[in-house]
Amino acid sequence: WGNEIPDILESQKEAKSRKMEFAPTIRSSDVGLASDDVEGQLAYMRENAMEIKRKMVENGAVIFREFDLMKEQSGFVKFYEAIGMNPCLDPLHSVSARPTVDGDKNSPVYEAVNKESRKNFFIGMHNEFVGTRAPRAAAFVCFKAAEEGGEFLIADGRQIFRDLKPELVEKLYKRDIRYSVMELPFFGWVDNLPDFLQPGVMGAVKGLASAAINSKVDFSVDLQWGEGGYDNVKMLQARAPSQPPILIHPVTGEPHWFCNVHSHSSKLRKDREAIYGAERFEDGASQINKSDMFYGDDGDISDADLEHMDEVTMKNVQFVKMTEGDVVLLDNYKCMHGRNVFDGTRKHGVAWFGGWEGEEEMKAATQQSSKEVAMA
């Protein structure tokens, strides 16, 4: 998780005084190219590759519009190859198989939650990671826009960190956070056993389930008994190790929010049901993939604090209505993403990147600049 921040409140004060620019837009017409000049667009990407990546790192994201180059998967791949992005496996690869856009299991372009069954599910703001595996960057592309809604959502993690109440920032950073990443809601039958049998059966079930899950994922999972659903059925909840909610950016050194409370909090998801309708957990996998968030010591986070984090997050969200060929290239550490509800047919894709050509040079330049500032 990188270096610890010595004084989190002082770091937040500095963030409040810093000017932050987020997610500039590059249009084909802005750089003197026709929207259908595919070859010219590809040449532009190659010639300006480092500048594009610098904008992504410094500003969290770059939005591309009016580029016919990226309307098809083959052109989208040429786009990110031209700017020197290094594709990697989907971070969910070890725990589930996210479908690819073209159906080829070896394809580098994955579906971006387009299922009709999930259209009324508002995907909360999050950084993509599983355990301690997080892609450095991502490119989200629109191959077909939904008839209504379906906007791609982005938010600057630096701005969210800046705007949170200092007392909450201090509390969260001192106690860390912890996610519940899975629920196994299959154990209502345990309550029907005689009382004297229940502890032994629960211990055996927990041990077997823990061994099975930990053999599947590449990070430690702790199982805890609890009750879930509207009828308080006994279930096992899988919790990931604790982690800090605020990180130092590996290139720029800026502190930023890296906390998926907006997408993972059970309370916030239930609150959104009042607006968008109930989540449609229609199959076993969907029922298992329920999440929540706690303090790192397993303490509950108050409703008031959750509501404050929701308010600050949504204040900083940009709703990006994408059309065919539009791409959002984002730094997965600085920039959070999500998706609005939609109607109709939506076909968006995503490619994940473990890094990019020139990343080490960017780090070296930042470190040199920091030294010069310190010596001045």
Side-chain angles (χ1 to χ4, degrees):
W1 301 111
N3 295 329
E4 184 177 350
I5 302 171
D7 189 334
I8 193 66
L9 294 184
E10 183 61 30
S11 185
Q12 189 187 37
K13 284 181 184 178
E14 292 173 2
K16 290 179 184 293
S17 66
R18 191 181 303 125
K19 184 180 179 181
M20 300 176 188
E21 296 185 8
F22 179 59
T25 296
I26 298 175
R27 291 180 171 83
S28 183
S29 56
D30 292 339
V31 296
L33 295 168
S35 61
D36 61 353
D37 183 3
V38 172
E39 291 303 318
Q41 292 167 10
L42 194 56
Y44 169 81
M45 298 301 175
R46 292 194 188 102
E47 292 165 7
N48 295 275
M50 280 302 293
E51 177 63 15
I52 289 168
K53 290 177 288 192
R54 185 189 63 77
K55 285 180 180 289
M56 174 193 72
V57 170
E58 292 185 357
N59 303 298
V62 181
I63 302 170
F64 294 87
R65 296 192 182 278
E66 303 174 357
F67 286 85
D68 283 6
L69 170 65
M70 292 89 89
K71 282 188 173 182
E72 303 290 339
Q73 178 169 323
S74 59
F76 174 59
V77 172
K78 288 178 182 177
F79 152 75
Y80 69 67
E81 289 178 344
I83 62 173
M85 305 302 292
N86 301 324
C88 65
L89 286 173
D90 180 85
L92 294 173
H93 180 75
S94 68
V95 294
S96 66
R98 193 195 304 255
T100 57
V101 168
D102 62 6
D104 180 351
K105 66 178 182 179
N106 295 316
S107 170
V109 184
Y110 298 89
E111 287 270 0
V113 195
N114 302 314
K115 289 183 179 179
E116 193 276 338
S117 63
R118 304 295 275 165
K119 68 180 184 180
N120 76 321
F121 179 60
F122 182 101
I123 299 177
M125 305 307 292
H126 63 285
N127 304 94
E128 203 74 26
F129 70 96
V130 174
T132 56
R133 189 195 306 108
R136 280 292 291 109
F140 288 82
V141 59
C142 173
F143 294 129
K144 182 189 179 303
E147 281 73 7
E148 183 177 346
E151 293 91 345
F152 184 62
L153 313 181
I154 53 175
D156 190 337
R158 300 169 301 173
Q159 295 173 356
I160 294 173
F161 168 59
R162 177 197 65 194
D163 294 343
L164 288 168
K165 293 177 181 177
E167 58 269 27
L168 178 58
V169 165
E170 185 174 40
K171 184 164 52 175
L172 286 166
Y173 198 68
K174 282 183 176 179
R175 295 178 65 178
D176 279 345
I177 58 169
R178 191 178 194 189
Y179 300 107
S180 164
V181 295
M182 182 186 303
E183 290 183 3
L184 304 176
F186 313 125
F187 303 107
W189 54 269
V190 173
D191 290 326
N192 297 323
L193 296 175
D195 290 347
F196 73 93
L197 287 178
Q198 290 187 21
V201 170
M202 290 169 66
V205 168
K206 179 178 175 180
L208 290 170
S210 179
I213 292 172
N214 280 293
S215 68
K216 176 70 173 175
V217 301
D218 54 6
F219 59 96
S220 177
V221 169
D222 174 35
L223 292 184
Q224 299 186 16
W225 283 103
E227 294 179 340
Y230 297 105
D231 49 0
N232 292 322
V233 172
K234 194 178 294 297
M235 57 88 176
L236 275 171
Q237 193 176 69
R239 298 193 182 185
S242 62
Q243 64 187 70
I246 300 149
L247 302 181
I248 294 293
H249 192 272
V251 175
T252 66
E254 298 167 284
H256 59 88
W257 188 240
F258 194 83
C259 174
N260 289 352
V261 62
H262 197 251
S263 63
H264 278 51
S265 166
S266 175
K267 183 242 182 321
L268 296 184
R269 289 201 315 275
K270 286 179 180 176
D271 288 350
R272 291 194 285 264
E273 286 184 8
I275 303 172
Y276 304 113
E279 297 178 17
R280 292 167 63 178
F281 290 116
E282 297 178 340
D283 55 37
S286 294
Q287 292 180 49
I288 289 171
N289 293 332
K290 291 184 179 180
S291 60
D292 208 346
M293 197 183 92
F294 306 87
Y295 284 110
D297 55 16
D298 290 316
D300 291 330
I301 301 173
S302 72
D303 287 356
D305 285 343
L306 289 169
E307 289 164 3
H308 172 64
M309 286 186 276
D310 177 56
E311 178 185 355
V312 169
T313 300
M314 290 307 298
K315 183 183 78 170
N316 286 290
V317 167
Q318 288 189 23
F319 283 64
V320 182
K321 184 63 176 177
M322 299 171 71
T323 58
E324 288 77 1
D326 288 353
V327 168
V328 179
L329 177 70
L330 60 83
D331 182 313
N332 184 50
Y333 285 17
K334 249 183 204 182
C335 180
M336 310 187 82
H337 64 276
R339 192 219 65 200
N340 194 16
V341 298
F342 68 93
D343 275 319
T345 303
R346 180 182 191 269
K347 190 172 183 180
H348 285 223
V350 58
W352 306 105
F353 309 114
W356 55 86
E357 295 172 15
E359 183 176 8
E360 292 306 314
E361 289 87 339
M362 286 186 185
K363 289 180 182 178
T366 300
Q367 290 170 359
Q368 181 61 34
S369 177
S370 298
K371 287 179 182 179
E372 292 172 358
V373 169
M375 294 173 63

